[in-house]
Amino acid sequence: MNTSGKAVTCWAAIAWKKNSPLSIEEVQVEPPKAGEVRIKMISSGICGSDDHVLKGTFPVKFPLIPGHEGAGIVESIGDKVSSVKPGDKVLTLIIPQCRECNSCLHRKGNFCEKQDVLPSSGLMLDGTSRFTCKGKSIYHSFRVSTFTEYSVVPEIAVAKIDDAAPMDKVCLISCGVPTGYGAAVQSAKVTPGSTCVIFGLGGVGSAIVMGCKASGASRIIGVDINEKKFSQARALGVTDCLNPRKLKKPVQEVVMEMTGVGVDFAFEAVGLVDTMTAAWESCNKSYGVCLIVGLASPESQLSLEAAKIITGKTLKGVCLGASVVCCCSEA
């Protein structure tokens, strides 16, 4: 049945309010407007940022359809869409690439000004929603809701992928893998023989480990409170695993003792102020580089000892692993 230009009824997971179980509901998905794409979602990852959203630690509007790490097939397109066509396999992008704003045009920028993360409106670029449930408008998650059978996404938040891409796995390339791997390889530029520490060994943290390993790091310390992650982390390249809850002193002090001088590169992939501080304090005071990868609550404030900043180490934020994905959307 041809659904182009018509509303589609499908199933989606809705968070009606924060800290509530997701509810599987029948929703109506409007056709895409100009510059938009409607996607039949095939797979979706579950990112740590989604957990922050659902728990209310990251401010969004409810009710909403969560998820942003998705892979699907273009079902229909709105006017003026030129980079994809119906039938194309695509990824959704939590940070779009408009190719027009200051960030997109700068060779070092990738945090597009048309993003809907900081702050999050929950609406499309025209200020309206494409989802309805029980007669009520439902908010989007960063304009790329993926916990739904069909989603409407701005064209600038879609990347075309190879027809041979495995749709049950490739959704991880939408966010988690480039965020972590890119943080190590593209942003930090981890050097051969270096020592690294990664706080958080989830999907993003695991990708950071792979990036550090591929870059030739000789020692990779993994930090997490869930020891079930340790065996997989070691398989990916972690040489030492630490559970902060089982240490007799702060984890950053243990890292300093293990390395003698602090690490060359520290990565925070949790999104908490305490772990950001611990990562910073794990760095070599003269040349260490600390990268903040985890998404913290906008209300959080990071406090550092001002006098110690002049010693030479670097604190750096990184979004999507400093990836620029414009080229992926070329026809």
Side-chain angles (χ1 to χ4, degrees):
M1 186 177 77
N2 183 12
T3 54
S4 179
K6 304 174 184 177
V8 172
T9 298
C10 67
W11 295 101
I14 296 179
W16 290 100
K17 58 183 180 179
K18 69 178 181 180
N19 283 318
S20 65
L22 292 176
S23 177
I24 305 300
E25 306 277 5
E26 198 171 63
V27 299
Q28 289 71 49
V29 185
E30 295 178 10
K33 294 184 180 181
E36 297 176 355
V37 177
R38 188 161 63 187
I39 303 169
K40 178 176 175 58
M41 302 306 305
I42 303 300
S43 63
S44 176
I46 302 176
C47 182
S49 300
D50 297 320
D51 186 58
H52 294 329
V53 164
L54 295 174
K55 289 179 178 178
T57 56
F58 189 85
V60 296
K61 296 178 180 178
F62 293 90
L64 91 160
I65 296 175
H68 63 270
E69 193 175 57
I73 299 172
V74 175
E75 174 267 342
S76 60
I77 59 176
D79 292 340
K80 301 180 180 179
V81 171
S82 61
S83 65
V84 294
K85 64 184 184 302
D88 284 345
K89 291 183 177 182
V90 296
L91 298 177
T92 57
L93 306 174
I94 185 173
I95 303 297
Q97 297 286 292
C98 75
R99 314 185 194 189
E100 299 173 346
C101 70
N102 173 267
S103 180
C104 286
L105 294 176
H106 196 283
R107 66 183 182 87
K108 292 185 178 180
N110 77 331
F111 197 73
C112 179
E113 293 175 9
K114 292 185 179 179
Q115 53 79 30
D116 196 48
V117 180
L118 296 171
S120 176
S121 70
L123 300 171
M124 297 295 280
L125 287 164
D126 68 352
T128 63
S129 172
R130 302 292 172 269
F131 297 121
T132 305
C133 181
K134 300 177 182 178
K136 185 177 180 64
S137 181
I138 307 298
Y139 288 105
H140 295 246
S141 176
F142 310 134
R143 296 197 180 111
V144 287
S145 295
T146 60
F147 291 5
T148 173
E149 292 182 300
Y150 286 87
S151 188
V152 176
V153 177
E155 180 188 14
I156 59 175
V158 169
K160 182 181 176 180
I161 57 176
D162 193 279
D163 287 340
M167 297 301 282
D168 60 333
K169 303 179 181 69
V170 73
C171 61
L172 299 177
I173 304 297
S174 168
C175 178
V177 172
T179 294
Y181 194 88
V185 175
Q186 296 185 155
S187 187
K189 293 181 171 56
V190 169
T191 52
S194 60
T195 298
C196 305
V197 62
I198 295 99
F199 288 79
L201 296 174
V204 172
S206 296
I208 296 173
V209 172
M210 291 190 288
C212 292
K213 180 72 172 178
S215 298
S218 61
R219 190 175 191 182
I220 303 172
I221 303 169
V223 180
D224 204 293
I225 60 174
N226 184 356
E227 295 187 9
K228 292 180 180 179
K229 300 177 182 178
F230 288 174
S231 60
Q232 178 64 30
R234 289 192 175 94
L236 292 174
V238 167
T239 56
D240 307 88
C241 293
L242 298 175
N243 180 348
R245 292 181 175 174
K246 292 189 175 181
L247 302 176
K248 295 181 179 180
K249 58 183 67 176
V251 64
Q252 55 266 47
E253 293 184 18
V254 174
V255 171
M256 291 297 290
E257 290 177 358
M258 291 171 65
T259 59
V261 295
V263 299
D264 300 289
F265 302 95
F267 300 86
E268 197 278 351
V270 182
L272 298 176
V273 169
D274 288 348
T275 43
M276 291 177 183
T277 302
W280 170 253
E281 294 180 352
S282 297
C283 286
N284 180 282
K285 65 181 179 181
S286 181
Y287 50 78
V289 179
C290 177
L291 287 95
I292 305 301
V293 185
L295 180 63
S297 166
E299 290 81 19
S300 301
Q301 297 291 320
L302 182 61
S303 179
L304 305 174
E305 291 183 67
K308 292 185 179 180
I309 295 176
I310 69 164
T311 61
K313 61 182 178 179
T314 302
L315 179 65
K316 185 177 183 181
V318 55
C319 173
L320 274 183
S323 301
V324 178
V325 294
C326 289
C327 58
C328 299
S329 297
E330 296 291 352

